[in-house]
């Protein structure tokens, strides 16, 4: 399982939704969700849409950073 899918699943859980149910809201196929679970990364446009919805950084979703927020001048900022 990819870091992206782990973080995506956790964010969905926190929003009281399943990964597939949330994907349907964004018009993303269940096949895409299965591919993510198997380690495929989504297209960057999809990562950005999901990040925007959950107010986290795209870097957080794909595992580049561990903090879901962005910092500007040492101030924590949601996306």
């Amino acid at each position: 399982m990819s870091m992206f899918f782990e973080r995506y699943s956790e964010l969905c859980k926190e929003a009281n939704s399943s990964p597939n149910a949330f994907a349907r809201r964004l018009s993303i196929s269940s096949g895409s969700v299965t591919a993510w679970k198997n380690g495929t990364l989504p297209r960057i446009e999809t990562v950005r849409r999901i990040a925007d919805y959950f107010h986290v950084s795209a870097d957080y979703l794909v595992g580049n950073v561990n903090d879901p927020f962005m910092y500007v001048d040492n101030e924590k900022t949601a996306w």
Side-chain angles (χ1 to χ4, degrees):
M1 188 177 321
S2 71
M3 177 67 71
F4 169 81
F5 188 78
E6 288 179 29
R7 291 185 173 177
Y8 169 71
S9 295
E10 186 60 33
L11 290 166
C12 289
K13 183 178 176 182
E14 289 173 11
N16 295 315
S17 183
S18 73
N20 281 322
F22 177 76
R24 279 191 299 274
R25 280 189 232 151
L26 294 181
S27 300
I28 297 169
S29 73
S30 61
S32 292
V33 175
T34 299
W36 302 343
K37 187 174 184 178
N38 291 328
T40 301
L41 288 176
R43 296 180 316 172
I44 190 64
E45 297 85 14
T46 303
V47 172
R48 286 185 182 144
R49 286 174 48 208
I50 294 168
D52 287 347
Y53 182 88
F54 287 117
H55 304 288
V56 298
S57 73
D59 279 332
Y60 171 75
L61 277 176
V62 298
N64 290 339
V65 298
N66 290 323
D67 192 333
F69 300 99
M70 178 179 82
Y71 290 83
V72 177
D73 297 328
N74 294 323
E75 298 282 329
K76 185 164 64 170
T77 305
W79 287 91

